[in-house]
mmCIF file of all heavy atoms in Angstrom:
data_model
loop_
_atom_site.group_PDB
_atom_site.id
_atom_site.type_symbol
_atom_site.label_atom_id
_atom_site.label_comp_id
_atom_site.label_asym_id
_atom_site.label_seq_id
_atom_site.Cartn_x
_atom_site.Cartn_y
_atom_site.Cartn_z
ATOM 1 N N PRO H 1 -1.197 -6.842 -4.739
ATOM 2 C CA PRO H 1 -2.096 -5.833 -5.447
ATOM 3 C C PRO H 1 -2.877 -4.903 -4.441
ATOM 4 O O PRO H 1 -3.370 -5.523 -3.528
ATOM 5 C CB PRO H 1 -2.952 -6.672 -6.335
ATOM 6 C CG PRO H 1 -2.222 -8.011 -6.516
ATOM 7 C CD PRO H 1 -1.455 -8.235 -5.240
ATOM 8 N N PRO H 2 -2.932 -3.678 -4.675
ATOM 9 C CA PRO H 2 -3.596 -2.805 -3.671
ATOM 10 C C PRO H 2 -5.205 -3.064 -3.673
ATOM 11 O O PRO H 2 -5.854 -2.653 -2.697
ATOM 12 C CB PRO H 2 -3.313 -1.386 -4.130
ATOM 13 C CG PRO H 2 -2.911 -1.478 -5.632
ATOM 14 C CD PRO H 2 -2.348 -2.848 -5.666
ATOM 15 N N ASP H 3 -5.733 -3.799 -4.678
ATOM 16 C CA ASP H 3 -7.151 -3.996 -4.724
ATOM 17 C C ASP H 3 -7.577 -5.327 -3.978
ATOM 18 O O ASP H 3 -8.667 -5.746 -4.016
ATOM 19 C CB ASP H 3 -7.690 -3.948 -6.022
ATOM 20 C CG ASP H 3 -7.021 -5.093 -7.001
ATOM 21 O OD1 ASP H 3 -6.001 -5.685 -6.603
ATOM 22 O OD2 ASP H 3 -7.601 -5.169 -8.112
ATOM 23 N N THR H 4 -6.477 -6.051 -3.292
ATOM 24 C CA THR H 4 -6.841 -7.241 -2.483
ATOM 25 C C THR H 4 -6.965 -6.641 -1.072
ATOM 26 O O THR H 4 -6.643 -5.631 -0.794
ATOM 27 C CB THR H 4 -5.493 -8.181 -2.689
ATOM 28 O OG1 THR H 4 -4.483 -7.635 -2.174
ATOM 29 C CG2 THR H 4 -5.405 -8.671 -4.076
ATOM 30 N N LEU H 5 -7.415 -7.615 -0.263
ATOM 31 C CA LEU H 5 -7.634 -7.238 1.166
ATOM 32 C C LEU H 5 -6.321 -6.997 1.811
ATOM 33 O O LEU H 5 -6.154 -5.931 2.579
ATOM 34 C CB LEU H 5 -8.370 -8.398 1.900
ATOM 35 C CG LEU H 5 -9.841 -8.605 1.600
ATOM 36 C CD1 LEU H 5 -10.377 -9.833 2.265
ATOM 37 C CD2 LEU H 5 -10.577 -7.246 1.977
ATOM 38 N N SER H 6 -5.331 -7.799 1.679
ATOM 39 C CA SER H 6 -3.926 -7.561 2.262
ATOM 40 C C SER H 6 -3.442 -6.306 1.719
ATOM 41 O O SER H 6 -2.706 -5.598 2.402
ATOM 42 C CB SER H 6 -3.043 -8.854 2.150
ATOM 43 O OG SER H 6 -2.949 -9.067 0.749
ATOM 44 N N GLY H 7 -3.522 -6.125 0.381
ATOM 45 C CA GLY H 7 -2.954 -5.019 -0.281
ATOM 46 C C GLY H 7 -3.555 -3.657 0.239
ATOM 47 O O GLY H 7 -2.818 -2.652 0.326
ATOM 48 N N SER H 8 -4.966 -3.671 0.567
ATOM 49 C CA SER H 8 -5.580 -2.432 0.869
ATOM 50 C C SER H 8 -5.084 -2.126 2.468
ATOM 51 O O SER H 8 -4.995 -0.991 2.702
ATOM 52 C CB SER H 8 -7.044 -2.601 0.921
ATOM 53 O OG SER H 8 -7.492 -3.776 1.855
ATOM 54 N N VAL H 9 -4.896 -3.123 3.206
ATOM 55 C CA VAL H 9 -4.298 -2.882 4.641
ATOM 56 C C VAL H 9 -2.866 -2.303 4.540
ATOM 57 O O VAL H 9 -2.615 -1.395 5.301
ATOM 58 C CB VAL H 9 -4.293 -4.246 5.385
ATOM 59 C CG1 VAL H 9 -3.574 -4.013 6.748
ATOM 60 C CG2 VAL H 9 -5.714 -4.777 5.578
ATOM 61 N N ILE H 10 -2.137 -2.726 3.601
ATOM 62 C CA ILE H 10 -0.798 -2.202 3.459
ATOM 63 C C ILE H 10 -0.802 -0.767 2.976
ATOM 64 O O ILE H 10 -0.067 0.155 3.462
ATOM 65 C CB ILE H 10 0.120 -3.176 2.456
ATOM 66 C CG1 ILE H 10 0.373 -4.389 3.200
ATOM 67 C CG2 ILE H 10 1.378 -2.508 2.104
ATOM 68 C CD1 ILE H 10 0.940 -5.490 2.243
ATOM 69 N N ALA H 11 -1.638 -0.572 1.970
ATOM 70 C CA ALA H 11 -1.883 0.820 1.511
ATOM 71 C C ALA H 11 -2.223 1.751 2.573
ATOM 72 O O ALA H 11 -1.788 2.951 2.677
ATOM 73 C CB ALA H 11 -2.771 0.818 0.257
ATOM 74 N N GLN H 12 -3.167 1.314 3.469
ATOM 75 C CA GLN H 12 -3.575 2.118 4.641
ATOM 76 C C GLN H 12 -2.500 2.454 5.570
ATOM 77 O O GLN H 12 -2.411 3.480 6.002
ATOM 78 C CB GLN H 12 -4.778 1.513 5.238
ATOM 79 C CG GLN H 12 -5.302 2.339 6.349
ATOM 80 C CD GLN H 12 -5.951 3.556 5.881
ATOM 81 O OE1 GLN H 12 -6.698 3.583 4.892
ATOM 82 N NE2 GLN H 12 -5.607 4.758 6.471
ATOM 83 N N ALA H 13 -1.620 1.425 5.723
ATOM 84 C CA ALA H 13 -0.451 1.600 6.548
ATOM 85 C C ALA H 13 0.483 2.804 6.164
ATOM 86 O O ALA H 13 0.939 3.649 6.963
ATOM 87 C CB ALA H 13 0.345 0.361 6.800
ATOM 88 N N PHE H 14 0.696 3.011 4.802
ATOM 89 C CA PHE H 14 1.399 4.016 4.281
ATOM 90 C C PHE H 14 0.653 5.272 4.448
ATOM 91 O O PHE H 14 1.317 6.313 4.809
ATOM 92 C CB PHE H 14 1.789 3.691 2.775
ATOM 93 C CG PHE H 14 2.932 2.742 2.604
ATOM 94 C CD1 PHE H 14 2.693 1.392 2.405
ATOM 95 C CD2 PHE H 14 4.204 3.385 2.445
ATOM 96 C CE1 PHE H 14 3.730 0.622 2.257
ATOM 97 C CE2 PHE H 14 5.276 2.397 2.282
ATOM 98 C CZ PHE H 14 5.036 1.054 2.227
ATOM 99 N N ARG H 15 -0.585 5.245 4.140
ATOM 100 C CA ARG H 15 -1.390 6.547 4.327
ATOM 101 C C ARG H 15 -1.353 7.069 5.692
ATOM 102 O O ARG H 15 -1.329 8.314 6.054
ATOM 103 C CB ARG H 15 -2.843 6.375 3.778
ATOM 104 C CG ARG H 15 -2.955 6.158 2.367
ATOM 105 C CD ARG H 15 -4.460 6.328 1.910
ATOM 106 N NE ARG H 15 -5.187 5.219 2.337
ATOM 107 C CZ ARG H 15 -5.433 4.083 1.621
ATOM 108 N NH1 ARG H 15 -4.820 3.855 0.485
ATOM 109 N NH2 ARG H 15 -6.261 3.157 2.171
ATOM 110 N N ASP H 16 -1.345 6.118 6.639
ATOM 111 C CA ASP H 16 -1.293 6.496 8.115
ATOM 112 C C ASP H 16 -0.036 7.184 8.432
ATOM 113 O O ASP H 16 0.031 7.929 9.523
ATOM 114 C CB ASP H 16 -1.481 5.198 9.091
ATOM 115 C CG ASP H 16 -2.828 4.690 8.964
ATOM 116 O OD1 ASP H 16 -3.757 5.313 8.575
ATOM 117 O OD2 ASP H 16 -2.987 3.428 9.239
ATOM 118 N N ARG H 17 1.007 7.004 7.685
ATOM 119 C CA ARG H 17 2.286 7.675 7.827
ATOM 120 C C ARG H 17 2.345 8.902 6.914
ATOM 121 O O ARG H 17 3.459 9.519 6.832
ATOM 122 C CB ARG H 17 3.481 6.869 7.497
ATOM 123 C CG ARG H 17 3.646 5.710 8.581
ATOM 124 C CD ARG H 17 4.102 6.250 9.910
ATOM 125 N NE ARG H 17 4.624 5.228 10.807
ATOM 126 C CZ ARG H 17 3.848 4.554 11.698
ATOM 127 N NH1 ARG H 17 2.582 4.802 11.761
ATOM 128 N NH2 ARG H 17 4.338 3.641 12.380
ATOM 129 N N GLY H 18 1.253 9.343 6.273
ATOM 130 C CA GLY H 18 1.271 10.483 5.326
ATOM 131 C C GLY H 18 2.041 10.117 4.111
ATOM 132 O O GLY H 18 2.501 11.083 3.394
ATOM 133 N N LEU H 19 2.093 8.909 3.603
ATOM 134 C CA LEU H 19 2.903 8.439 2.487
ATOM 135 C C LEU H 19 1.904 7.766 1.531
ATOM 136 O O LEU H 19 0.950 7.103 1.799
ATOM 137 C CB LEU H 19 3.874 7.472 2.888
ATOM 138 C CG LEU H 19 4.962 7.919 3.929
ATOM 139 C CD1 LEU H 19 5.777 6.710 4.488
ATOM 140 C CD2 LEU H 19 5.799 8.952 3.440
ATOM 141 N N ASP H 20 2.256 7.887 0.190
ATOM 142 C CA ASP H 20 1.674 7.113 -0.921
ATOM 143 C C ASP H 20 2.477 5.751 -0.881
ATOM 144 O O ASP H 20 3.470 5.559 -0.340
ATOM 145 C CB ASP H 20 1.841 7.839 -2.283
ATOM 146 C CG ASP H 20 1.009 9.127 -2.308
ATOM 147 O OD1 ASP H 20 -0.069 9.169 -1.619
ATOM 148 O OD2 ASP H 20 1.456 10.064 -2.941
ATOM 149 N N LEU H 21 1.762 4.777 -1.613
ATOM 150 C CA LEU H 21 2.495 3.549 -1.840
ATOM 151 C C LEU H 21 3.922 3.751 -2.589
ATOM 152 O O LEU H 21 3.883 4.664 -3.512
ATOM 153 C CB LEU H 21 1.635 2.517 -2.705
ATOM 154 C CG LEU H 21 0.530 1.835 -1.825
ATOM 155 C CD1 LEU H 21 -0.233 1.021 -2.865
ATOM 156 C CD2 LEU H 21 1.314 0.800 -0.834
ATOM 157 N N PRO H 22 4.902 3.151 -2.172
ATOM 158 C CA PRO H 22 6.137 3.376 -3.035
ATOM 159 C C PRO H 22 6.076 2.816 -4.337
ATOM 160 O O PRO H 22 5.254 1.873 -4.606
ATOM 161 C CB PRO H 22 7.223 2.567 -2.133
ATOM 162 C CG PRO H 22 6.416 1.536 -1.438
ATOM 163 C CD PRO H 22 4.960 2.130 -1.229
ATOM 164 N N PRO H 23 6.940 3.230 -5.215
ATOM 165 C CA PRO H 23 7.028 2.584 -6.614
ATOM 166 C C PRO H 23 7.417 1.052 -6.402
ATOM 167 O O PRO H 23 8.311 0.804 -5.703
ATOM 168 C CB PRO H 23 8.143 3.303 -7.193
ATOM 169 C CG PRO H 23 8.159 4.711 -6.509
ATOM 170 C CD PRO H 23 7.864 4.447 -5.158
ATOM 171 N N THR H 24 6.584 0.268 -6.992
ATOM 172 C CA THR H 24 6.734 -1.185 -6.744
ATOM 173 C C THR H 24 7.216 -1.888 -8.092
ATOM 174 O O THR H 24 6.704 -1.668 -9.096
ATOM 175 C CB THR H 24 5.343 -1.841 -6.422
ATOM 176 O OG1 THR H 24 4.803 -1.091 -5.219
ATOM 177 C CG2 THR H 24 5.552 -3.179 -6.071
ATOM 178 N N THR H 25 8.330 -2.583 -7.933
ATOM 179 C CA THR H 25 8.901 -3.271 -9.120
ATOM 180 C C THR H 25 8.042 -4.439 -9.593
ATOM 181 O O THR H 25 7.819 -4.541 -10.752
ATOM 182 C CB THR H 25 10.380 -3.765 -8.687
ATOM 183 O OG1 THR H 25 11.126 -2.719 -8.281
ATOM 184 C CG2 THR H 25 11.049 -4.481 -9.888
ATOM 185 N N ILE H 26 7.512 -5.291 -8.623
ATOM 186 C CA ILE H 26 6.721 -6.414 -9.043
ATOM 187 C C ILE H 26 5.608 -6.490 -8.129
ATOM 188 O O ILE H 26 5.748 -6.446 -6.847
ATOM 189 C CB ILE H 26 7.431 -7.729 -9.142
ATOM 190 C CG1 ILE H 26 6.536 -8.851 -9.537
ATOM 191 C CG2 ILE H 26 8.151 -8.091 -7.866
ATOM 192 C CD1 ILE H 26 7.198 -10.184 -9.936
ATOM 193 N N ILE H 27 4.398 -6.555 -8.681
ATOM 194 C CA ILE H 27 3.147 -6.695 -7.884
ATOM 195 C C ILE H 27 2.660 -7.974 -7.927
ATOM 196 O O ILE H 27 2.259 -8.508 -8.933
ATOM 197 C CB ILE H 27 2.048 -5.691 -8.283
ATOM 198 C CG1 ILE H 27 2.590 -4.129 -8.175
ATOM 199 C CG2 ILE H 27 0.761 -5.800 -7.531
ATOM 200 C CD1 ILE H 27 1.739 -3.103 -8.782
#
């Protein structure tokens, strides 16, 4: 989940590449 600590780090990694989070089948 993007509202967890690990999820927020992953979301930031996509933003650093100029990307949104990809469509996710299961969170």
Side-chain angles (χ1 to χ4, degrees):
D3 58 351
T4 61
L5 288 173
S6 57
S8 65
V9 170
I10 291 170
Q12 184 61 51
F14 279 91
R15 288 194 294 269
D16 291 340
R17 291 287 192 275
L19 304 169
D20 294 325
L21 279 172
T24 305
T25 303
I26 179 169
I27 299 173

